Amino acid sequence: MHVLLIEDSLDLSANIGEFLTSRGHDVDYALDGHAGLQLAANNSYEAVILDLGLPGLDGLTVCQRLRDASRKDVAVLILTARDGEADKLRGFDAGADDYLTKPFSLLELLARLKVLSRRASGSKGVLEVADLTFDLRTLLVRRGDRVIALAPTGMRILEQLMRASPGVVTREQLEATVWGNDPPESNAALRGHILTIRNAVDAENAPKLLHTVHGTGYRLA
Ligand code: CA
């Protein structure tokens, strides 16, 4: 993945950059918004990691200009300070696709970037696994003609499983999606969500789509 990192903290920038590079991704660095916009205009990135607290041009303005100017389909993930709830909402208004609150885990950052870049890369907005469909715009989930109702957490888990299908999603990845850096100690909560999804998706004698991969996680196929 070709990633643009716009972050004025050299330490954080180096941390993120070294981690992503060690996982085989290409990272370009900008220390302020102007430099970031210039790089974005001259290169094609799959994702932009954007700190909101930047000197000069602030992150929200950078986000808006990224959306207005260059490629509208580039995924933008914003980094916010611990209590930046208002910033976060303004970030979504400015066109951000996702956010992480500092401090965050680098593994979670990578997991989210992957989801975002897949979403940005020409997805038609409907996930399909066999006769199970998930319309990401209307949030309507169907198995064949049957409409499936799930709570928001269940939908996030199902979305992750569908995007990865037929691959396995580990319990840790699912827990990171639902609980971020603060997963519950026991895996009972995740098992509960999976059971709900399984009952909803694989109901009425339909062929089984949700499989448990023992000791690892789950897969839809
Ligand atoms: Ca900053």
Side-chain angles (χ1 to χ4, degrees):
M1 194 169 5
H2 196 192
V3 179
L4 172 60
L5 173 57
I6 309 176
E7 165 61 71
D8 61 314
S9 155
L10 286 173
D11 283 347
L12 186 55
S13 188
N15 259 342
I16 296 173
E18 279 166 19
F19 175 77
L20 292 178
T21 305
S22 76
R23 299 300 172 109
H25 302 287
D26 287 331
V27 182
D28 286 353
Y29 303 86
L31 293 176
D32 63 59
H34 289 293
L37 286 172
Q38 187 132 31
L39 280 169
N42 294 323
N43 296 276
S44 176
Y45 296 103
E46 285 156 278
V48 177
I49 303 168
L50 173 63
D51 181 30
L52 283 189
L54 291 169
L57 204 56
D58 69 277
L60 285 174
T61 308
V62 174
C63 189
Q64 263 154 2
R65 294 200 190 163
L66 277 171
R67 280 283 171 259
D68 293 345
S70 58
R71 292 171 51 222
K72 287 192 193 301
D73 59 342
V74 67
V76 179
L77 185 148
I78 56 178
L79 306 177
T80 70
R82 176 174 277 281
D83 48 2
E85 182 78 13
D87 278 353
K88 191 165 75 192
L89 296 175
R90 283 197 294 270
F92 283 123
D93 278 347
D97 298 292
D98 200 357
Y99 68 90
L100 274 176
T101 303
K102 297 177 185 178
F104 49 83
S105 108
L106 291 169
L107 283 171
E108 187 183 1
L109 173 69
L110 180 57
R112 292 195 185 208
L113 285 177
K114 284 181 176 172
V115 168
L116 288 180
S117 74
R118 271 200 296 270
R119 189 179 296 166
S121 62
S123 137
K124 57 181 172 149
V126 180
L127 302 173
E128 289 181 20
V129 176
D131 61 346
L132 177 68
T133 59
F134 187 159
D135 187 322
L136 298 169
R137 293 156 303 188
T138 62
L139 300 182
L140 191 65
V141 180
R142 288 173 180 276
R143 178 90 197 256
D145 293 331
R146 185 167 56 86
V147 173
I148 292 174
L150 287 172
T153 301
M155 295 182 90
R156 290 178 72 181
I157 293 173
L158 184 66
E159 179 183 348
Q160 192 172 6
L161 289 166
M162 290 183 79
R163 286 184 184 282
S165 174
V168 177
V169 184
T170 66
R171 286 196 301 262
E172 290 75 17
Q173 287 169 328
L174 289 170
E175 286 175 349
T177 296
V178 177
W179 292 285
N181 291 332
D182 192 24
E185 303 224 330
S186 130
N187 57 18
L190 179 62
R191 281 209 309 271
H193 286 300
I194 291 288
L195 181 64
T196 304
I197 294 169
R198 175 169 281 144
N199 287 340
V201 168
D202 291 341
E204 298 176 3
N205 301 320
K208 193 165 133 75
L209 290 181
L210 179 56
H211 307 274
T212 301
V213 181
H214 288 288
T216 307
Y218 303 93
R219 64 193 285 264
L220 268 174

